[in-house]
């Protein structure tokens, strides 16, 4: 796991370039469609970089960007990665002797039609806004069209207005002068309609395994074009399809229609998903921790602690609740998961730690108020990894114990000093120390051990 200063520091320089110009509709798309997905700061960072393009500055230090946005470099890096992930920014880096140089290449947002027919970003926006608000936002982009079926098309053609060139004007020399490369190598012409797009890592889906499970008697290998391959990755990610499931859907589409495209494959998968899950769209509770935020990705756990971290990083919140109860999670519990991941923007791994902590501390009950309080606190702390969440959970446990001890010492606690029958997970328990030590020294020793453990784990996972 890398930390922000390993990627960029204030003295690193950057310059900004673009692939076109923003138009009025682009501003609305960025605010209404992209901002709910990337957050207000990432949206603000994008617009700030656009302003710097228009100011025609050559290079700036990242310290300048910190001063302009009034955010830390960690927050700037987080916002930058969100813009990269959603297709609004490409970043190029060159290492120097004492600093690094970055080029930030801004990409245009999708058009409203492309966004809502994308079948990828639109689903995430639906999950973020909910059905009613999603439909309201989409309708705000509608353009009324008048029926022209009763009208006659009287539009002038090019030949109606312009005369043909004389043969002497159509010489080979003219063509050569037009087609020769007159642009310098370090510039390009403005483009319109070239938009950034979301790119998924190929590690998210075993494409070769899927191809091997497709019968060549049903689906010829050549029908899987690069464009279709890109759609398969997105659909597999959205609907959490395994290679075997995806191969079945591809064969079903081709067998029934004799052709296959991204659109008819999407419709087939959507029908299958509704039948399997009785849902219109996939829920975020099925997602797992993103690979870049996994501390133990590709590593074997060396202790019980690391086994638990690995578990939180590999399972979805849905699966964790399933493991706890042995049955399908209730709709009420899944709504709390959705609150953590959508409203508070917690990652799946952090959500798993939160669920485990609340269940173990609250007699196996997911109390709505407790979930909301802790989730909002962890969101403000900007916890993104399992290790960060576990550290916060330990802190919560310590503060709660101190609060209980104060109640006992003040005599306001229940008579008989009754103990809770809640089973606390091992990862939350503090190490025991000798009874001859004072309470203060016990707390200091435990905190020192936690700090050393966290430092060693962070160092081993870099």
């Amino acid at each position: 796991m890398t930390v922000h200063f390993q990627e960029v520091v204030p003295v690193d320089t950057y310059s900004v370039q673009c692939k076109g110009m923003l138009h009025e509709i682009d501003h609305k798309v960025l605010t209404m469609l992209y901002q709910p997905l990337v957050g207000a700061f990432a949206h603000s960072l994008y617009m700030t970089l656009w302003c710097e393009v228009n100011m025609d500055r050559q290079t700036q230090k990242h310290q300048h960007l910190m001063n302009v946005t009034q955010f830390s470099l960690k927050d700037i890096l987080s916002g930058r990665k969100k813009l990269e992930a959603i297709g609004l920014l490409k970043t190029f880096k060159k290492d120097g002797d004492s600093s690094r140089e970055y080029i930030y290449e801004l990409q245009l947002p999708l058009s409203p039609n492309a966004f809502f027919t994308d079948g990828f970003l639109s689903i995430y926006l639906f999950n973020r806004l909910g059905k009613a608000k999603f439909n309201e936002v989409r309708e705000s982009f509608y353009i009324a069209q008048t029926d022209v079926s009763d009208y006659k098309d009287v539009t002038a053609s090019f030949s109606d207005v312009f005369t043909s060139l004389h043969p002497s004007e159509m010489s080979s020399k003219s063509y050569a002068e037009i087609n020769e490369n007159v642009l310098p190598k370090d510039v390009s012409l403005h483009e319109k309609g070239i938009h950034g797009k979301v790119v998924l890592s190929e590690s998210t889906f075993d494409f070769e395994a899927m191809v091997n499970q497709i019968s060549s008697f049903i689906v010829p290998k050549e029908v899987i074009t690069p464009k279709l391959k890109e759609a398969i990755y997105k659909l597999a990610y959205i609907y959490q399809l395994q290679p075997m499931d995806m191969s079945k859907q591809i064969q079903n589409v081709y067998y029934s229609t004799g052709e296959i495209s991204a659109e008819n494959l999407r419709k087939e998968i959507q029908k299958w998903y509704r039948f399997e899950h009785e849902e219109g769209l996939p829920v975020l509770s099925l997602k797992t921790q993103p690979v870049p935020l996994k501390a133990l990705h590709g590593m074997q756990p060396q202790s019980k602690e690391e086994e638990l971290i690995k578990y939180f990083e590999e399972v979805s919140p849905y699966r964790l609740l399933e493991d706890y109860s042995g049955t399908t999670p209730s709709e009420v519990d899944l709504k709390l998961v959705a609150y953590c991941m959508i409203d508070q923007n917690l990652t799946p791994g952090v959500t798993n730690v939160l669920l485990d902590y609340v269940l173990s501390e609250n007699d196996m009950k997911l109390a709505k108020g407790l979930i909301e309080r802790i989730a909002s606190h962890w969101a403000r702390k900007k916890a993104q990894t399992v290790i960060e969440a576990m550290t916060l959970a330990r802190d919560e446990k310590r503060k709660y114990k101190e609060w209980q001890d104060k109640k006992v010492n003040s005599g306001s606690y229940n008579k008989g000093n009754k103990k809770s029958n809640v089973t606390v997970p091992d990862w939350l328990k503090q190490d025991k120390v000798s009874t001859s030590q004072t309470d203060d020294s016990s707390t200091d020793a435990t905190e020192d051990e936690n700090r050393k453990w966290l430092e060693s784990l962070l160092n081993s996972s870099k």
Side-chain angles (χ1 to χ4, degrees):
M1 181 179 64
T2 58
V3 288
H4 69 277
F5 54 77
Q6 292 177 319
E7 294 193 46
V8 62
V9 294
V11 296
D12 290 340
T13 60
Y14 72 93
S15 58
V16 189
Q17 62 188 37
C18 61
K19 279 292 187 180
M21 296 300 294
L22 286 181
H23 298 272
E24 183 179 354
I25 190 65
D26 293 323
H27 287 278
K28 184 177 178 181
V29 168
L30 287 165
T31 302
M32 302 299 291
L33 305 184
Y34 281 90
Q35 184 172 229
L37 301 179
V38 300
F41 175 70
H43 172 264
S44 174
L45 178 63
Y46 182 85
M47 300 309 301
T48 300
L49 293 175
W50 267 107
C51 290
E52 296 206 351
V53 170
N54 295 332
M55 295 174 72
D56 199 27
R57 288 174 172 164
Q58 295 301 311
T59 59
Q60 291 282 350
K61 291 183 179 179
H62 279 80
Q63 181 66 54
H64 164 76
L65 203 54
M66 295 167 65
N67 294 336
V68 170
T69 62
Q70 288 296 293
F71 273 84
S72 68
L73 202 55
K74 181 180 179 181
D75 291 330
I76 290 173
L77 182 62
S78 174
R80 192 195 87 188
K81 288 186 179 294
K82 288 181 180 179
L83 295 176
E84 292 168 354
I86 210 157
L88 291 175
L89 181 68
K90 283 187 177 181
T91 301
F92 304 91
K93 182 180 77 169
K94 183 171 72 173
D95 291 318
D97 294 333
S98 58
S99 64
R100 289 159 288 206
E101 295 180 31
Y102 287 87
I103 295 177
Y104 295 143
E105 185 179 274
L106 296 164
Q107 311 294 304
L108 294 179
L110 293 171
S111 68
N113 182 63
F115 188 100
F116 285 110
T117 58
D118 177 70
F120 186 78
L121 292 177
S122 59
I123 286 179
Y124 279 87
L125 185 65
F126 183 96
N127 276 290
R128 186 60 55 89
L129 299 181
K131 183 178 179 180
K133 190 64 179 178
F134 176 85
N135 289 334
E136 179 184 328
V137 170
R138 182 169 58 181
E139 288 171 7
S140 71
F141 288 93
Y142 286 174
I143 300 176
Q145 299 291 320
T146 303
D147 183 10
V148 296
S149 57
D150 294 334
Y151 294 74
K152 181 181 179 181
D153 187 350
V154 294
T155 307
S157 67
F158 184 89
S159 59
D160 291 337
V161 179
F162 297 96
T163 59
S164 176
L165 293 175
H166 191 273
S168 63
E169 299 175 287
M170 301 174 65
S171 65
S172 58
K173 182 181 179 181
S174 299
Y175 281 109
E177 290 173 346
I178 292 171
N179 293 324
E180 70 181 2
N181 185 15
V182 294
L183 291 177
K185 291 182 178 180
D186 58 349
V187 302
S188 63
L189 293 172
H190 281 298
E191 300 177 10
K192 189 175 185 299
I194 306 299
H195 306 285
K197 62 180 180 179
V198 176
V199 178
L200 291 176
S201 169
E202 293 191 359
S203 64
T204 60
F205 181 72
D206 193 339
F207 189 83
E208 290 301 319
M210 180 210 73
V211 172
N212 292 335
Q213 291 169 5
I214 296 176
S215 171
S216 58
F217 293 102
I218 299 176
V219 182
K221 294 291 192 290
E222 57 268 19
V223 304
I224 303 180
T225 63
K227 185 176 181 180
L228 182 60
K229 181 178 179 180
E230 182 182 338
I232 288 171
Y233 273 110
K234 288 184 177 182
L235 291 168
Y237 183 80
I238 291 171
Y239 292 94
Q240 295 288 288
L241 289 178
Q242 296 301 314
M244 182 175 290
D245 294 326
M246 179 61 79
S247 67
K248 289 179 181 177
Q249 301 309 315
I250 291 173
Q251 291 177 99
N252 288 341
V253 171
Y254 196 81
Y255 181 78
S256 59
T257 64
E259 61 178 3
I260 187 168
S261 65
E263 181 60 20
N264 58 19
L265 179 60
R266 181 187 64 79
K267 289 180 179 179
E268 183 71 20
I269 292 175
Q270 210 169 53
K271 285 193 299 182
W272 168 83
Y273 193 93
R274 287 193 181 103
F275 179 78
E276 289 289 321
H277 300 273
E278 297 181 357
E279 293 276 354
L281 294 166
V283 291
L284 291 179
S285 61
L286 295 173
K287 302 298 181 188
T288 56
Q289 185 77 340
V291 172
L293 298 177
K294 290 182 179 180
L296 297 179
H297 178 64
M299 300 168 57
Q300 288 298 322
Q302 302 299 316
S303 64
K304 292 290 185 182
E305 189 86 34
E306 290 186 2
E307 285 179 4
L308 190 61
I309 292 172
K310 185 85 170 175
Y311 173 76
F312 287 148
E313 290 180 341
E314 297 297 335
V315 303
S316 65
Y318 188 98
R319 172 68 184 277
L320 183 138
L321 293 174
E322 223 175 23
D323 289 348
Y324 255 101
S325 64
T327 60
T328 302
S330 69
E331 185 177 350
V332 174
D333 289 349
L334 292 178
K335 284 183 178 178
L336 289 175
V337 172
Y339 169 83
C340 294
M341 297 179 68
I342 296 176
D343 295 287
Q344 296 300 334
N345 202 27
L346 298 184
T347 63
V350 172
T351 302
N352 283 337
V353 177
L354 193 156
L355 294 173
D356 184 83
Y357 172 74
V358 172
L359 286 168
S360 62
E361 290 293 289
N362 198 45
D363 197 20
M364 293 306 206
K365 292 180 290 186
L366 290 180
K368 184 174 183 289
L370 185 59
I371 287 281
E372 291 177 349
R373 180 182 67 79
I374 299 176
S376 61
H377 175 230
W378 290 10
R380 288 193 296 272
K381 287 286 189 179
K382 294 182 171 57
Q384 291 188 304
T385 67
V386 168
I387 295 174
E388 289 171 345
M390 290 174 69
T391 303
L392 287 171
R394 283 194 176 92
D395 190 53
E396 288 272 353
K397 172 66 178 176
R398 179 181 58 79
K399 290 178 179 177
Y400 181 73
K401 186 176 184 304
E402 290 174 354
W403 175 77
Q404 281 187 318
D405 291 342
K406 286 180 181 178
K407 291 192 71 175
V408 172
N409 295 332
S410 65
S412 61
Y413 197 61
N414 291 335
K415 291 183 179 180
N417 213 7
K418 294 180 182 179
K419 294 183 180 179
S420 171
N421 60 356
V422 175
T423 302
V424 179
D426 292 338
W427 67 272
L428 272 174
K429 292 178 181 176
Q430 303 287 355
D431 293 336
K432 294 181 180 179
V433 295
S434 172
T435 54
S436 62
Q437 294 176 310
T438 63
D439 291 340
D440 289 341
S441 63
S442 172
T443 300
D444 292 341
T446 301
E447 290 181 347
D448 187 55
E449 286 187 18
N450 285 340
R451 178 181 58 77
K452 290 180 179 178
W453 164 80
L454 184 58
E455 288 177 350
S456 64
L457 189 57
L458 287 171
N459 290 330
S460 65
S461 61
K462 289 179 182 177

